[in-house]
Amino acid sequence: MLRQAVRKIAGSFGHAYFQERARQGGKQTELWHALGEAGFLGVHLPEAYGGGGMGISELTIVCEEVAAAGCPLLLILVSPAICATLIAKFGTEEQKGRFLPPLADGSGKMAFAITEPDAGSNSHQLSTRAERDGEEWRLEGTKYYISGVDEAEQVLVVARTGRDEATGRGRLSLFIVDTDAAGLEATHIPVEIAAPEKQFTLHFDGLRVPADRLLGTEGEGLRQVFAGLNPERLMGAAIGCGIGRYALDKAASYARERSVWGRPIGTHQGLSHPLAAAKVNLEMARLMLEKAAWCYDNDEDAAEAANMAKYAAAEAALEALDQAMQTHGGNGLASEYGLADLWGTARLLRTAPVSREMILNFVAQHSLGLPKSY
Ligand SMILES: Cc1cc2nc3c(=O)[nH]c(=O)nc-3n(C[C@H](O)[C@H](O)[C@H](O)COP(=O)(O)OP(=O)(O)OC[C@H]3O[C@@H](n4cnc5c(N)ncnc54)[C@H](O)[C@@H]3O)c2cc1C
């Protein structure tokens, strides 16, 4: 029922809406609000704060169905999946009461900032730092590739607040920062992804954050952030699965109808087999996504399955989209057929929110017991 209800809303917008917004520099605001008002963006949040009281499994369904309708929403990864999840888990009563209801009903958005130019995949090397100054913290540093800062009222920032004497690594903490705060400068980073969401470099220059904006425990930020990164990976996987379904649906219907040598092109195994193989890989990715979301919701260790689901879904999405474009011949590149413009978003999933290589590192080390390579 959830799938059907989300499909109905997202289907009434469709890929043409996504394309138009991406081209004109607009946002998918109406779709976001429609999902929020129906309770789907907060489906995983506690009912006491305006949520649906369900789990991350249900949020992956929302995320997948929206992408399958041709309108992938990258900010689902960030605002409901990471930020709202972390506030629900680690926030004070005041923080939960203030920030969760707008995130749940879609009237508010929160961006998430962990990546830095000089740290990248290595979060232990983060150099953005926050220093306590009376009743405030002062933030200095730079983040990049931060999505949706122009749409969000706040950004959840991961910053260094100390150093672990035993390991020499930074002790990290989380801060909820207003995007219009003095001392925060956001610069747009142009990217070749045809999506309504934009990316930004953020400079924090002595930005003052009130003490009550620290989320969770000082110095425990990295451990806490992992509670939000697995949901983010799952939403990345869900977007990949949705794009894969969208592409294969279009490819199959085109291959059934298009006739070049007197028979539908789908008759030729040169086309049908790669599409069938893409379908197999896509369904395996969806199954791993379900497993990972189940693990997360049932307090099992979800890290391995979430990594595998994200890896499998990114590869399956690219395979399905590439083969769908091939099936369409020249039309595969035409704007009208609504395939090639999703390439950037699908390709992004191989790199973010966690790269293919870091997932393979994880699986090699933790699933296979191989020595750490870095
Ligand atoms: C469109 C877009 C949106 C994004 N949105 C956000 C956001 O909202 N918030 C946010 O915080 N970040 C965001 N990111 C950042 C994204 O999460 C990172 O780009 C990604 O995690 C990779 O980090 P990096 O770019 O620093 O690559 P690097 O860490 O510099 O890595 C470069 C390459 O080296 C490989 N590599 C690095 N270390 C190893 C190793 N030990 N072994 C093998 N290979 C390795 C990587 O896999 C990668 O292929 C976004 C990025 C993009 C492109």
Side-chain angles (χ1 to χ4, degrees), residues 112 114-115 120-121 145-147 199 348 353 355 357-358 361 374:
F112 175 71
I114 187 167
T115 308
S121 306
Y145 289 105
I146 310 308
S147 302
Q199 326 307 324
L348 167 68
S355 71
E357 292 73 26
M358 292 313 287
N361 283 337
Y374 59 98

Side-chain angles (χ1 to χ4, degrees), residues 56-303:
I56 282 294
S57 300
E58 283 74 18
L59 191 64
T60 63
I61 289 173
V62 174
C63 193
E64 183 187 326
E65 289 305 321
V66 175
C71 320
L73 282 169
L74 287 177
L75 290 187
I76 293 187
L77 272 70
V78 175
S79 187
I82 306 182
C83 299
T85 299
L86 291 178
I87 292 171
K89 263 193 194 301
F90 304 109
T92 60
E93 272 312 310
E94 198 272 330
Q95 288 170 336
K96 288 194 268 194
R98 174 164 178 198
F99 295 113
L100 289 181
L103 297 182
D105 69 16
S107 60
K109 287 187 191 128
M110 200 177 284
F112 175 71
I114 187 167
T115 308
E116 294 186 2
D118 296 327
S121 306
N122 186 354
S123 306
H124 298 293
Q125 289 299 326
L126 294 187
S127 62
T128 294
R129 66 179 192 284
E131 275 170 22
R132 185 85 193 217
D133 182 9
E135 282 308 295
E136 292 179 324
W137 292 85
R138 282 169 61 90
L139 226 62
E140 297 278 350
T142 303
K143 301 279 178 187
Y144 77 165
Y145 289 105
I146 310 308
S147 302
V149 178
D150 54 339
E151 302 179 53
E153 291 76 35
Q154 294 90 24
V155 52
L156 184 60
V157 179
V158 186
R160 175 186 286 257
T161 46
R163 187 167 166 273
D164 186 324
E165 292 306 327
T167 62
R169 288 172 170 173
R171 292 185 78 88
L172 307 179
S173 303
L174 305 174
F175 296 92
I176 303 170
V177 174
D178 291 332
T179 48
D180 62 0
L184 170 54
E185 190 189 306
T187 311
H188 176 223
I189 308 172
V191 297
E192 299 295 332
I193 300 175
E197 297 86 353
K198 306 269 173 283
Q199 326 307 324
F200 295 86
T201 298
L202 300 184
H203 293 291
F204 305 103
D205 183 9
L207 186 146
R208 293 184 170 276
V209 192
D212 65 2
R213 292 298 192 89
L214 171 75
L215 178 64
T217 311
E218 181 187 336
E220 291 292 312
L222 195 60
R223 187 184 60 75
Q224 288 166 2
V225 110
F226 274 101
L229 294 186
N230 282 329
E232 183 191 34
R233 284 163 197 185
L234 292 177
M235 297 313 138
I239 287 196
C241 290
I243 291 176
R245 280 172 52 200
Y246 168 85
L248 286 186
D249 281 352
K250 279 184 99 84
S253 93
Y254 193 84
R256 280 191 297 268
E257 282 157 25
R258 168 86 169 157
S259 184
V260 189
W261 304 97
R263 291 188 295 168
I265 54 171
T267 314
H268 308 303
Q269 290 180 337
L271 271 193
S272 67
H273 279 189
L275 287 177
K279 172 75 174 162
V280 171
N281 290 332
L282 179 62
E283 291 305 323
M284 291 198 295
R286 294 183 73 207
L287 200 53
M288 185 52 91
L289 170 60
E290 252 183 64
K291 174 180 171 176
W294 185 92
C295 289
Y296 185 89
D297 286 335
N298 288 279
D299 295 326
E300 302 275 337
D301 186 353

